[in-house]
């Protein structure tokens, strides 16, 4: 398994989240997942919301296009990004290859 999967127009991201970081940013890979550091604590859904906001800004979509599909209480999470900017996705994939 790789850290992403494209269906027709949507992107499935398989993420490993590191909460309580100084900044929110991409941080390479962690096994078969893309690692994201978030500047939010892991409780009260704060880290999940920080991921959602980060992905919405990065992929240039509304936050309503970001759906947490698995892992709400785990560091290993699956997100569905609906209709992301394809060029940004390809640049991200290339930068981590």
């Amino acid at each position: 398994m790789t850290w992403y999967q494209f269906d027709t127009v949507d992107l499935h991201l398989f993420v490993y989240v590191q909460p309580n970081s100084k900044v929110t940013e991409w941080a390479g890979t962690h096994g078969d997942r893309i690692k994201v550091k978030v500047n939010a604590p892991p409780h009260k859904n704060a880290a999940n919301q920080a991921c959602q906001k980060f992905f919405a800004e990065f992929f240039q979509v509304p936050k309503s296009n970001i759906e947490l599909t698995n892992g709400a209480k785990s560091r290993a999470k699956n997100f569905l990004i609906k209709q992301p900017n394809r060029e940004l996705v390809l640049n991200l994939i290339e930068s981590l290859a």
Side-chain angles (χ1 to χ4, degrees):
M1 181 169 100
T2 183
W3 54 265
Y4 69 94
Q5 178 183 346
F6 260 120
D7 55 28
T8 309
V9 294
D10 297 332
L11 173 68
H12 298 267
L13 274 186
F14 308 106
V15 180
Y16 180 83
V17 176
Q18 180 180 328
N20 292 322
S21 295
K22 290 186 180 191
V23 294
T24 299
E25 64 186 0
W26 301 112
T29 57
H30 182 87
D32 59 356
R33 294 180 175 271
I34 189 166
K35 185 175 181 179
V36 177
K37 294 180 178 181
V38 293
N39 183 12
H43 54 82
K44 295 187 179 180
N45 211 29
N48 294 337
Q49 291 173 349
C51 285
Q52 183 184 29
K53 181 181 180 208
F54 177 65
F55 296 153
E57 291 172 358
F58 183 86
F59 294 114
Q60 299 176 353
V61 296
K63 283 199 303 188
S64 60
N65 282 24
I66 311 293
E67 181 182 335
L68 176 61
T69 58
N70 194 5
K73 295 186 177 194
S74 171
R75 288 183 181 221
K77 302 177 184 300
N78 299 348
F79 284 90
L80 172 64
I81 318 309
K82 298 174 186 170
Q83 301 178 333
N85 180 313
R86 192 169 183 88
E87 184 177 330
L88 293 173
V89 173
L90 295 175
N91 288 341
L92 176 63
I93 292 168
E94 193 175 292
S95 73
L96 295 172

